[in-house]
Amino acid sequence: MQWDDARMFLAFAREGSFSAAAKRLGVQHSTVSRRIHALEKQLATPLVERSASGYVLTAAGEDLRDSATRIEREVLSFEDASRGQSEQAAGELRVTAIANMASTILMPLFAKFSEAFPGIDLRIEVTNDSVRLAERDADVALRQTNSPGETLIGTRLTTVASAVYGSADYCKSVRANNLQERWIGVDCCDYHRTWTRQAHPDPDYSFCVDDTALTASALNMGLGVGYLPCFMGDSDPNLVRFREPEEQHNLGLWLLYHRDLRSTRRVTLFRQHMQREIVKLRPQFEGQLANNI
């Protein structure tokens, strides 16, 4: 059995469908299907079954998934160890970050790193979902959390404060009792969703968004008030704080990576760079630069 076939099957086992596995591997849907069917024929046993809810692994498929996972771990550990022995800063570095940070306050830091180390191919991916660093979905993850995973090595870069914002005109009218206080329904992450419901328990929101950039746009349009991280809200000249940051809403900004990558030079260089540069931006992250009326 070829490792590349097992690698394709492992991607399918993790994603649960041929199309998702193909997207993960960067190949055609038909390629994954054909290779897995050929693998079943070679092993003379079914690995996948179709059920009412989709595809499921057979007992043999589960055994192969476990074996392939162990092989992958060994291969990746060897690659990381061999790269770590080199003093040359080169190779691909995949970093996943939250969209609202990656496209704004962190982009100059990424650009500066790329200029300093042209031999490193920096690839930035944005997602608010959890990323599987153990399975190498990415090399490094920049995440807001107060409880990073136990299997990961983490460096807390700074504290991210959040506050309730609104447009200057809207907040002024509410405070003067000329307008009724309205809240924007926010569904961009568990944190903002929970805080919004705690601040405004009425579930009947007349306007809802699922992204912080949309929240900022809605606030600028005077559609109500809502939570934003301070580095976004304070940098928008049209927004003011409707409520000040509360300590209970503080989140740690962590740089996370798998322990197998601890000696990899490109990861070490990126960690050191982010630690050094984030210090200069702490006032923005911690909400010390308020733009109020």
Side-chain angles (χ1 to χ4, degrees):
M1 183 171 59
Q2 300 297 315
W3 162 240
D4 200 47
D5 292 334
R7 184 176 66 90
M8 284 203 175
F9 174 77
L10 185 57
F12 171 85
R14 287 169 173 165
E15 300 297 336
S17 71
F18 293 112
S19 58
K23 183 178 180 180
R24 179 186 179 98
L25 296 169
V27 299
Q28 295 295 320
H29 168 281
S30 57
T31 300
V32 178
S33 176
R34 183 177 66 253
R35 296 282 285 274
I36 290 179
H37 289 320
L39 186 58
E40 289 179 317
K41 185 176 181 180
Q42 178 185 353
L43 297 174
T45 185
L47 301 172
V48 178
E49 292 179 339
R50 184 186 289 274
S51 69
S53 59
Y55 291 101
V56 296
L57 301 183
T58 64
E62 291 178 353
D63 289 341
L64 178 56
R65 177 197 59 199
D66 295 341
S67 296
T69 298
R70 290 193 294 269
I71 295 171
E72 179 192 54
R73 188 178 300 119
E74 291 297 325
V75 171
L76 291 172
S77 295
F78 173 77
E79 289 180 349
D80 295 333
S82 61
R83 289 170 181 165
Q85 292 171 2
S86 173
E87 291 299 317
Q88 184 179 5
E92 182 181 86
L93 181 65
R94 292 172 298 159
V95 177
T96 178
I98 303 168
N100 60 30
M101 286 188 185
S103 61
T104 57
I105 194 168
L106 293 182
M107 186 53 68
L109 278 59
F110 297 151
K112 189 173 183 179
F113 178 82
S114 187
E115 291 172 2
F117 303 101
I120 297 178
D121 299 326
L122 185 61
R123 299 183 181 274
I124 306 298
E125 301 172 356
V126 294
T127 175
N128 293 335
D129 301 325
S130 59
V131 65
R132 296 169 296 192
L133 293 177
E135 298 171 6
R136 297 303 195 274
D137 279 356
D139 299 312
V140 176
L142 293 166
R143 283 291 179 266
Q144 292 182 113
T145 180
N146 289 328
S147 55
E150 295 180 358
T151 61
L152 305 176
I153 294 178
T155 299
R156 185 180 175 115
L157 299 174
T158 188
T159 295
V160 181
S162 293
V164 181
Y165 292 87
S167 71
D169 290 342
Y170 178 81
C171 292
K172 187 174 182 178
S173 295
V174 171
R175 288 167 179 155
N177 294 321
N178 295 326
L179 280 179
Q180 184 178 0
E181 179 181 321
R182 296 191 309 269
W183 282 75
I184 295 172
V186 178
D187 199 29
C188 60
C189 65
D190 289 338
Y191 299 116
H192 286 180
R193 183 188 309 115
T194 300
W195 301 343
T196 300
R197 290 174 179 172
Q198 290 172 346
H200 187 72
D202 185 357
D204 187 19
Y205 301 105
S206 61
F207 193 86
C208 298
V209 294
D210 66 351
D211 180 81
T212 49
L214 293 176
T215 302
S217 295
L219 296 176
N220 270 278
M221 295 299 295
L223 294 177
V225 297
Y227 280 99
L228 279 179
C230 291
F231 71 83
M232 287 187 67
D234 293 341
S235 64
D236 191 324
N238 299 316
L239 300 181
V240 296
R241 292 181 182 178
F242 187 71
R243 292 186 185 178
E244 289 300 309
E246 298 180 47
E247 188 174 351
Q248 63 184 1
H249 296 154
N250 287 347
L251 297 170
L253 176 60
W254 287 80
L255 186 150
L256 302 170
Y257 52 97
H258 195 267
R259 60 183 68 254
D260 291 346
L261 295 176
R262 74 183 75 185
S263 60
T264 305
R265 182 163 172 73
R266 62 191 186 282
V267 172
T268 300
L269 290 172
F270 184 76
R271 174 178 56 79
Q272 293 172 343
H273 170 79
M274 295 301 292
Q275 285 179 295
R276 185 169 56 251
E277 296 297 324
I278 286 289
V279 170
K280 307 171 187 177
L281 299 175
R282 278 182 178 169
Q284 290 99 306
F285 279 111
E286 296 178 359
Q288 299 175 21
L289 303 178
N291 178 28
N292 284 319
I293 59 171

